[in-house]
Amino acid sequence: MFQSVAICGVGLIGGSFALALRQAGFSGEIIGVSSPATIEKATSLGVIHRGAPLEQALVEADLIYLAQPISAILDCLPRLDAARPEALITDAGSTKGAIVARAQRPNRRAQFLGGHPMAGKEITGVAAAEASLFRGRNYFVTPNSPAELETPAAIEFLDLLAKIGAVLRIASPADHDRTVAFTSHLPQLISTALAETISTEFGDKAEMGAGPGLLDMTRLAASSYDLWADILATNCNEVNISLDLYIAHLTKVRLNLQNGLKKEFTIASSFSKSLRNR
Amino acid sequence: MFQSVAICGVGLIGGSFALALRQAGFSGEIIGVSSPATIEKATSLGVIHRGAPLEQALVEADLIYLAQPISAILDCLPRLDAARPEALITDAGSTKGAIVARAQRPNRRAQFLGGHPMAGKEITGVAAAEASLFRGRNYFVTPNSPAELETPAAIEFLDLLAKIGAVLRIASPADHDRTVAFTSHLPQLISTALAETISTEFGDKAEMGAGPGLLDMTRLAASSYDLWADILATNCNEVNISLDLYIAHLTKVRLNLQNGLKKEFTIASSFSKSLRNR
C-alpha cells in the first residue's frame, strides 16, 4: 500500500489527483513539490498536507506523480534517480513518446510508468482542483511492455485509478501519441484556427453572428499557448499527419458542397452520437 | 397589437417562439400550421391553441411566423398573397438571400421581413420547445432597406423580440449570409469533417482518446443532413469562400507547427474570451 505520495506540480491536475486520492480512501501523507506560493495555497485549501523540496520528497514517497507542464517533466526526470527502489514514478503529461524515452535511466531504482488523464477545464491552478475531475474520463497508461503493469507498485497504481473513477486505457507511447494527435491536438488546432480566421475576418463584429455552435467550437481556442507549445513540440510529426489528413477531408467537403455531403454527415453524425452514448 | 399569430412549422423554433410569446405577455390566439400529428402534440403540450390549414390561418393572423425548414419556407412563400394587408410575415430560416428574394411578390398585400434566430438545440421537435430559447441569443432581422423596420407591424415585431429576450441584430440579407457562413456554417462543416476524419481513421477505437475537447468539437457533427442540405444549397458561395479562407489559415498553422504559433493562439484566445464575456 502506498503510504506517502509526492505530487510534483500542484495545479489543476496534480491538485485534483490529490483530492481524488483522499476521496478514494487514501489515508497516507500527500506531499507537494511546487512553488512556495502554490504550496501555501494548496495547503490552506487542504489539497496537500505539506510542501517539500524534490530531493526530500523522493526519500519519503512511494508514489511520485509528475503533474507539471511537459517541459518541466522532461527537466525533472533526470533528477529522480534517488527515488526509493519500491516507489512508482508516473506522470500526467499530454504526450508520451518524449517523456517515456527521457525516463529511461540506468541508475534510477524506482519504476517509471507513463500516464495521461484526458481531463481538464478551461481554468487552471490548484484553486480549480476537484476530486471528481477524473471520473468517467479516459486515463492512458503507456508501458513499453505489458510486464511493466505487473509489478506490485503498478498493480496498486492501476487499482487507484479505478478507485478515482478513471476509465483505464492501455497503449504504447507511440499509439498514445498517434491517437491523441487526432482526438486532442487536432481539435485544439482546429478551434484555434477557427477563432483566428473569424477574428481576422470580422473582428468584434463577429459577435452578431455568434450562436451556441460557435461557442462550442471556440471554447478550446481560449487555451494558452504556453501549455500547447510543449505539446506540439513533443508530438509534431503525428500532429502534422493529422492536420494533413484533416485538410484533405475538409477540401473534399468543399468540393462536394454542391454535390451533396450526405455520406460525410451520416458518418460524422453516427460517430458524434456514439461518442456520447458510451 | 397583434391579436392572432400563425406559426407555420411547429417544431423546436416555432414552438419555442409560441411559448416565448405567451411568457412575454401575448394574450391573443396562437394558430399552428403543421402536420396533423404535430398539431395534436403541440396542442396537448399547450404550445398552440389550435391548428388550421394555411389558407384559413392567413385570413385570421396578423403575425405569420414561418419556422419550417428552408425549402419548405421557399415553397410556402408564393402561397401567402392572401395574408391580411396589415399583417407581418417573418421567417426563421438560417439563410436569408434566397428567402428574401423569393418573398418579393407584387401581389402580396402583407409586409415580409426576414429573420433568423441564432438559437437551437441538439434535439428538435415541439417537445423540445422552451420559452427561454431566444433569451440572450442573437436574432437577425434582415430588411432590404431601413424603411422596412418603420412600419407599425415591424415596430411591434421588434418590440416582441426584445420582450422575449433576444439580442436584435440588423443586417442586409447579403451581410447576414456572409456573416453566418463564417460563424455558423463553417463551424458546422469543421465539426462534421473532424468527426468524419477521426471515424474514418480510427472507428470506434477513437473513444479511448476522447476527452472533453473532442466532445465539444463534435457536438455539431451530430446534426442531421436534412437540415443542412438546405442551408448549404442556399448559401453555397459564401460557405465556399469561408471554407477556402479557413483551409488557408489551417495550412499556415500546419506550416508553422515547428516555428511556433504564439501569434495565432494569442489572437484566437482573445477572440474566444471576448465571445464569452459579452
Side-chain angles (χ1 to χ4, degrees), chain A residues 184-197 199-200 218-233 239 243, chain B residues 249-250 252-254 256-257 260-273:
Chain A
S184 170
H185 310 167
L186 178 61
Q188 173 64 48
L189 293 175
I190 287 174
S191 180
T192 296
L194 175 64
E196 193 241 338
T197 302
S199 177
T200 304
T218 56
R219 189 183 70 84
L220 289 177
S223 304
S224 133
Y225 184 60
D226 294 341
L227 181 70
W228 279 93
D230 278 6
I231 296 176
L232 299 174
V239 174
L243 261 175
Chain B
H249 279 256
L250 205 55
K252 198 181 63 184
V253 163
R254 187 168 83 79
N256 290 328
L257 268 187
L261 294 167
K262 191 168 182 63
K263 189 179 139 226
E264 285 78 2
F265 269 78
T266 304
I267 294 173
S269 170
S270 157
F271 178 79
S272 171
K273 287 172 184 163

Side-chain angles (χ1 to χ4, degrees), chain A residues 174 177-179 181-182 185 235-243, chain B residues 257:
Chain A
D177 285 358
R178 177 167 177 269
T179 302
F182 280 88
H185 310 167
N235 203 24
C236 201
N237 285 344
E238 297 297 343
V239 174
N240 194 38
I241 290 169
S242 77
L243 261 175
Chain B
L257 268 187

Side-chain angles (χ1 to χ4, degrees), chain A residues 241-272:
Chain A
I241 290 169
S242 77
L243 261 175
D244 207 27
L245 240 163
Y246 178 68
I247 290 171
H249 279 256
L250 204 57
T251 302
K252 198 180 65 182
V253 162
R254 188 168 83 78
L255 293 175
N256 289 329
L257 266 187
Q258 303 250 24
N259 300 333
L261 295 166
K262 191 168 182 58
K263 189 179 136 225
E264 285 78 3
F265 269 77
T266 304
I267 293 172
S269 169
S270 156
F271 179 78
S272 171

